Amino acid sequence: MTKRFVSIGECMVEMAPQPDGNYAMGFAGDTFNTAWYARTCLPDAWQVEYLTAVGRDAVSDRMVAFMRGAGIDTSHVARLEGRTVGLYLIELQGAERSFSYWRGASAARALADDPARLEAALTGADLAYFSGITLAILEPPARARLAVALTRARRGGTIVAFDPNLRPKLWPSEEAMCTAITEAAGLADIILPSFEDEARHFGDADPSATVVRYQAAGARVVVVKDGAAEVLCAEGAALTHHHPAPVARVVDTTAAGDSFNAGFLAAWMAGQGAPAAMAAGSSLAGRVIGARGALIAL
């Protein structure tokens, strides 16, 4: 029987710096990156689907063709007249990156405008995955529609995974961001935060504080990433620690967390347990940060 991994969010045009100083165009975005890597990690019995909206212009056509070429099902990609896709540009200082965005006309802002389409996409899914960026690009009524659809899917047996992916520039205020993220955490079974961001915006003293806060919000499993430091996974009172292997050469940290999530979730859904899932996520992320751009050939 086919199993379904549904990832929800925005795929964008990526302009990534190259060694010669020029930029290469690709397609990427946090939840799409996770879907892309999940497709490489999951067996053929799994169908990876992306739920988003794009335009009807040439670049949107190219994006959808890229998704299909990667083996990602595009049945839930809405095509909207008068819209297009967002664009971001990566700037590197060493291996650390910063981003500039152009997404005002992005069709993905309308991905949750149709409740029936949301329900059709999520009903029967084995795993549904979304992020704080998914929430940030939506207006409050659309976030509420997405929350209703995820709640119904979860009641039907779907496991919901959430990466807070805190990006304050996308929100009207830090307070609005933190409120929305905390509310969304209550929709999820698995939460995959990054400690550096959580400490900066929620004031967590250590990864254990992040665990406690998200458990209080309702999460069953909390997996706290912390760069090259140890990963902490909490299942109720049970804590598992994983020390990632050192990476010989860090080239570009873009999609490090997204790829970790893909490796972790693929192993977790295969029933491998926390130690193996954390190791799978860390191993995949270690390979990704050794190359330029969000998506690398594996």
Side-chain angles (χ1 to χ4, degrees), residues 3 8 27 74 86 108 115 152 159 169 195 202 212 216-217 234 246 282:
K3 293 182 176 293
I8 309 163
F27 299 107
T74 60
R152 286 178 177 168
I159 294 174
K169 290 183 179 179
F195 175 66
F202 282 97
V212 169
S282 295

Side-chain angles (χ1 to χ4, degrees), residues 4 35 49 102 134-136 151 167 177 190 194 200 210 232 250 264 271 273 297:
R4 299 174 55 221
E49 307 166 18
W102 294 265
T134 308
L135 301 176
T151 299
R167 296 293 182 268
M177 176 183 72
I190 302 171
S194 295
R200 180 181 299 118
T210 302
L232 175 63
V250 179
F264 178 90

Side-chain angles (χ1 to χ4, degrees), residues 38-212:
R39 179 63 284 167
T40 71
C41 295
L42 289 166
D44 291 342
W46 279 82
Q47 180 166 286
V48 178
E49 307 166 18
Y50 199 58
L51 195 165
T52 191
V54 301
R56 291 188 176 275
D57 55 345
V59 70
S60 295
D61 290 343
R62 288 182 63 182
M63 178 180 286
V64 173
F66 177 78
M67 292 179 183
R68 290 173 179 159
I72 295 173
D73 184 279
T74 60
S75 301
H76 310 303
V77 177
R79 305 299 300 267
L80 306 180
E81 294 287 354
R83 296 287 191 103
T84 185
V85 295
L87 178 149
Y88 71 92
L89 181 144
I90 301 172
E91 296 178 271
L92 289 174
Q93 291 186 336
E96 292 303 317
R97 78 277 194 230
S98 61
F99 301 94
S100 298
Y101 294 94
W102 294 265
R103 65 193 338 152
S106 173
R109 292 181 176 274
L111 69 84
D113 284 2
D114 184 345
R117 192 172 74 87
L118 283 178
E119 186 165 358
L122 294 174
T123 298
D126 294 273
L127 179 70
Y129 172 76
F130 72 114
S131 76
I133 294 178
T134 308
L135 301 176
I137 65 171
L138 302 177
E139 294 297 327
R143 290 203 295 270
R145 286 190 289 271
L146 179 59
V148 168
L150 288 167
T151 299
R152 286 178 177 168
R154 194 178 179 196
R155 288 173 182 163
T158 299
I159 294 174
V160 176
F162 174 55
D163 184 339
N165 221 345
L166 302 168
R167 296 293 182 268
K169 290 183 179 179
L170 299 179
W171 295 89
S173 68
E174 184 176 57
E175 180 181 6
M177 176 183 72
C178 292
T179 298
I181 293 299
T182 301
E183 291 174 352
L187 305 172
D189 299 284
I190 302 171
I191 300 184
L192 299 138
S194 295
F195 175 66
E196 182 180 3
D197 292 339
E198 303 294 327
R200 180 181 299 118
H201 300 294
F202 282 97
D204 294 346
D206 53 39
S208 295
T210 302
V211 165
V212 169

